[in-house]
């Protein structure tokens, strides 16, 4: 019987180690790769996010498995390399302010064979708050990825219910959300043939028939239920009358 947890993370670790050697001269320290379903993002980098009992801190690179089944493997792996560029800048460069992709990051992306573009197409801006990229033909990443895929390497598991049905046009390029170091690239291709009919459209969201919404204070987390359109203020001592936010 297979061990899917070991299998998934071993594949991502193998890809990280391969690109660290091929694109970064092994300059990146170990990181903890996680699977996270952040909305409208393919992945993100978070510096020094995890701490060991010994006191050692390491970075996190998160990958969104919801898109594994609707993107070709090179596109998914380019997300990993994109976040590795953020990790490189954190340890060896000067990151921009929160969420901003600066010139140093853009230059490093080009050096590894990923062209930064806010549209995901040629001619887009190379720096900014929300950035995407496209793979440079016959660039370092394209060659390193091809080398990896000539080995017995694949991504063995994907989400059966991706965010969109692969038989319809994919959504526009997306920026990351709540990403301390930057966002990830967007755009997508039809579902890779390897998955065939194994994936399907996401299940329909449940209909709220109660005509009530959940509201949450963004500061202390207090919750309340009420009709849509309410404006609720939190009376907590440290909340400074923070306005409750509707929770989907």
């Amino acid at each position: 019987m297979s061990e899917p947890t070991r299998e998934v993370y071993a594949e991502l670790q193998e890809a990280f180690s391969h690109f660290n050697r091929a694109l970064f001269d092994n300059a990146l320290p170990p990181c903890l790769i996680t699977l996270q379903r952040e909305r409208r993002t393919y992945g993100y980098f978070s510096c020094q996010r995890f701490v060991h009992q010994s006191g050692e801190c390491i970075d996190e690179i998160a990958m969104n498995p919801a898109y594994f089944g609707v993107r070709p493997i090179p596109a998914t792996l380019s997300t990993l390399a994109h976040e590795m560029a953020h990790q490189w800048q954190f340890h060896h460069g000067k990151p921009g302010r929160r969420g901003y992709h600066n010139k140093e990051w853009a230059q490093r992306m080009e050096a590894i064979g990923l062209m930064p573009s806010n549209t995901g197409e040629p001619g887009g801006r190379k720096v900014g708050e929300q950035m995407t990229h496209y793979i440079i033909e016959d660039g370092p990443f394209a060659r390193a990825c091809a080398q990896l895929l000539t080995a017995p390497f694949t991504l063995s598991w994907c989400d059966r219910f991706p965010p969109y049905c692969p038989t319809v046009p994919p959504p526009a390029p997306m920026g990351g959300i709540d990403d301390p170091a930057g966002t990830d690239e967007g755009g997508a291709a039809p579902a890779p043939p390897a998955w065939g009919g194994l994936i399907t459209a996401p299940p329909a969201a449940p209909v709220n028939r109660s005509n009530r919404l959940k509201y949450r204070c963004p500061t202390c987390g207090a919750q309340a239920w009420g009709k849509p359109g309410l404006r609720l203020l939190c009376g907590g001592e440290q909340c400074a009358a923070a306005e409750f936010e509707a929770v989907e």
Side-chain angles (χ1 to χ4, degrees):
M1 180 178 294
S2 67
E3 296 182 304
T5 300
R6 291 181 185 273
E7 194 170 21
V8 168
Y9 285 99
E11 290 166 352
L12 293 173
Q13 180 61 56
E14 180 181 356
F16 176 91
S17 298
H18 175 76
F19 292 133
N20 194 11
R21 292 190 301 269
L23 304 177
F24 296 94
D25 296 323
N26 278 326
L28 302 185
C31 72
L32 203 163
I33 300 174
T34 64
L35 299 180
Q36 304 283 353
R37 283 188 173 86
E38 290 285 341
R39 293 185 60 193
R40 295 183 60 79
T41 185
Y42 292 154
Y44 61 81
F45 167 72
S46 185
C47 58
Q48 303 288 278
R49 188 61 180 262
F50 285 89
V51 61
H52 190 267
Q53 290 181 343
S54 66
E56 177 188 10
C57 293
I58 61 171
D59 308 317
E60 175 190 21
I61 289 181
M63 298 289 288
N64 190 340
Y67 294 96
F68 285 8
V70 291
R71 304 175 71 210
I73 290 178
T76 296
L77 294 179
S78 76
T79 294
L80 177 63
H82 177 127
E83 305 310 329
M84 292 171 71
H86 284 302
Q87 187 187 21
W88 175 88
Q89 187 178 39
F90 174 75
H91 290 281
H92 303 286
K94 296 181 179 179
R97 67 179 186 275
R98 178 183 173 91
Y100 188 79
H101 300 69
N102 60 20
K103 289 183 179 179
E104 181 186 61
W105 171 86
Q107 291 171 352
R108 188 65 191 183
M109 285 283 285
E110 288 191 59
I112 66 171
L114 299 177
M115 180 61 70
S117 168
N118 70 315
T119 64
E121 302 290 341
R125 295 196 311 273
K126 294 183 180 181
V127 298
E129 297 290 343
Q130 294 188 345
M131 293 299 298
T132 176
H133 69 255
Y134 58 89
I135 299 171
I136 299 173
E137 185 176 357
D138 198 34
F141 172 83
R143 295 193 298 270
C145 187
Q147 182 183 25
L148 178 63
L149 295 180
T150 59
F153 176 89
T154 189
L155 297 177
S156 301
W157 296 88
C158 81
D159 193 328
R160 289 181 58 211
F161 306 111
Y164 60 87
C165 181
T167 59
V168 300
M174 300 174 292
I177 292 178
D178 193 25
D179 177 354
T183 60
D184 193 85
E185 46 75 39
W195 297 111
L198 298 177
I199 59 178
T200 185
V207 178
N208 182 3
R209 300 184 184 279
S210 67
N211 196 32
R212 294 200 307 160
L213 292 178
K214 180 189 290 187
Y215 295 85
R216 178 181 294 129
C217 173
T219 302
C220 70
Q223 298 182 160
W225 288 85
K227 294 181 179 181
L230 290 179
R231 184 171 184 265
L232 305 176
L233 302 180
C234 187
E237 293 182 359
Q238 299 180 349
C239 296
E243 185 171 350
F244 278 60
E245 298 174 346
V247 180
E248 294 184 0

